[in-house]
Amino acid sequence: MKISARNFLEGTIKEVHKGATTAHVEIEIKGGIVTASITNESVDELGLAKGKKAHAIIKSSDVMVAVE
Amino acid sequence: MKISARNFLEGTIKEVHKGATTAHVEIEIKGGIVTASITNESVDELGLAKGKKAHAIIKSSDVMVAVE
Amino acid sequence: MKISARNFLEGTIKEVHKGATTAHVEIEIKGGIVTASITNESVDELGLAKGKKAHAIIKSSDVMVAVE
Amino acid sequence: MKISARNFLEGTIKEVHKGATTAHVEIEIKGGIVTASITNESVDELGLAKGKKAHAIIKSSDVMVAVE
Amino acid sequence: MKISARNFLEGTIKEVHKGATTAHVEIEIKGGIVTASITNESVDELGLAKGKKAHAIIKSSDVMVAVE
Amino acid sequence: MKISARNFLEGTIKEVHKGATTAHVEIEIKGGIVTASITNESVDELGLAKGKKAHAIIKSSDVMVAVE
């Protein structure tokens, strides 16, 4: 499957923290840590767990730019 | 200013492509290229140009996770 | 690739309208038309054109609910 | 009220799952199931419950396109 | 129509700037100016023009918080 | 830090409601109340609490327009 989102950041899952409905998944990429907020169902269906290879995927319209 | 977005990816602007209202800004971070889609006005006000230090900022609720 | 987004709507591309940087892609699904706003680069890389099979993918945190 | 979001998918609520602050609402539309992640307060104020007619509303900038 | 988005900011349209596919709409609310980036089609269908009463609508998952 | 998001709404925090992973933060601005849905970690790191000065920050691509 190819998807229109422009940002694919390769990494390894560092931590998964499940809440009541929403989970926070920390992915360690080269540049640091990326945190995703996704549904608990997706965590289960994708088998997300510490040490698993994963990509952080982000649509370009959701990326902001900041400068000092 | 401290902001609630969880993802700050440090990099350098590689390219700025302005359209009629929307600009694409490519930021080279350690892990690869992040593309942001922002307004032309923000490009001008932040003085975004090739070679400038910049951060890509992403809210965690906008990050998806993918696995093979 | 499996992705954490919860919404996969199967359909056929009805129309692609490219602007200066942003394209509108209309996908005909069973329930009607879904319009996506994506980058021109993604239109080209995915070879999006009228008649092509495609899925509309939406993160659940981007879906609102409305009632009369 | 008319709203600028381009995507209105008509359906019937199949399930509402409330967490501590965030609820998942599944809406059965013609093409399948759409899952929305909204606040518990909105579930209560809109009286969302199984069997109720509802629309899934999505801004076009939040829709991605995928192809095989 | 009642919608699950939590943020309704009442105002008057100050300016509409249409690009090739994407328009920027400035809405003057009590607290200042809110800028929306929407499709040109929505500008036409909603008849958006300077001086018209309008609401800025924002899902709570799209709002960030910043402090000094 | 200057950020590309176009919308900065100045206000005071009225209420913080933490869930299992996601918190709702109500900010009183001149025009009314803006609700943000952010991570519990951000609430703690930014020290968000009732009475604190804060800005609601919103990317223009996340703002919709509605008319009667």
Side-chain angles (χ1 to χ4, degrees), chain F residues 2-18:
Chain F
K2 285 198 298 182
I3 188 169
S4 60
R6 301 301 295 167
N7 301 300
F8 283 73
L9 301 174
E10 198 181 329
T12 305
I13 293 177
K14 189 170 164 270
E15 198 178 334
V16 178
H17 172 46
K18 283 169 94 171

Side-chain angles (χ1 to χ4, degrees), chain B residues 42-55:
Chain B
S42 291
V43 168
D44 299 337
E45 283 176 29
L46 271 61
L48 302 184
K50 190 171 180 173
K52 185 161 185 164
K53 295 284 178 204
H55 279 83

Side-chain angles (χ1 to χ4, degrees), chain F:
Chain F
M1 177 177 72
K2 285 198 298 182
I3 188 169
S4 60
R6 301 301 295 167
N7 301 300
F8 283 73
L9 301 174
E10 198 181 329
T12 305
I13 293 177
K14 189 170 164 270
E15 198 178 334
V16 178
H17 172 46
K18 283 169 94 171
T21 52
T22 306
H24 293 166
V25 179
E26 290 186 12
I27 303 172
E28 196 148 22
I29 66 166
K30 258 192 213 151
I33 301 282
V34 171
T35 304
S37 175
I38 64 174
T39 64
N40 289 348
E41 291 82 354
S42 291
V43 169
D44 299 337
E45 283 175 29
L46 271 61
L48 302 184
K50 189 170 180 173
K52 185 161 185 164
K53 295 282 177 209
H55 278 83
I57 299 191
I58 307 136
K59 200 173 187 292
S60 58
S61 55
D62 288 324
V63 180
M64 291 163 282
V65 182
V67 293
E68 293 305 322

Side-chain angles (χ1 to χ4, degrees), chain D residues 17-53:
Chain D
H17 172 49
K18 282 168 95 170
T21 51
T22 306
H24 293 165
V25 179
E26 290 186 11
I27 302 172
E28 195 148 21
I29 66 167
K30 259 193 208 154
I33 300 283
V34 171
T35 304
S37 175
I38 64 174
T39 63
N40 289 348
E41 290 82 353
S42 290
V43 169
D44 299 337
E45 282 176 29
L46 271 62
L48 302 184
K50 187 170 181 173
K52 185 161 185 164
K53 295 284 178 204

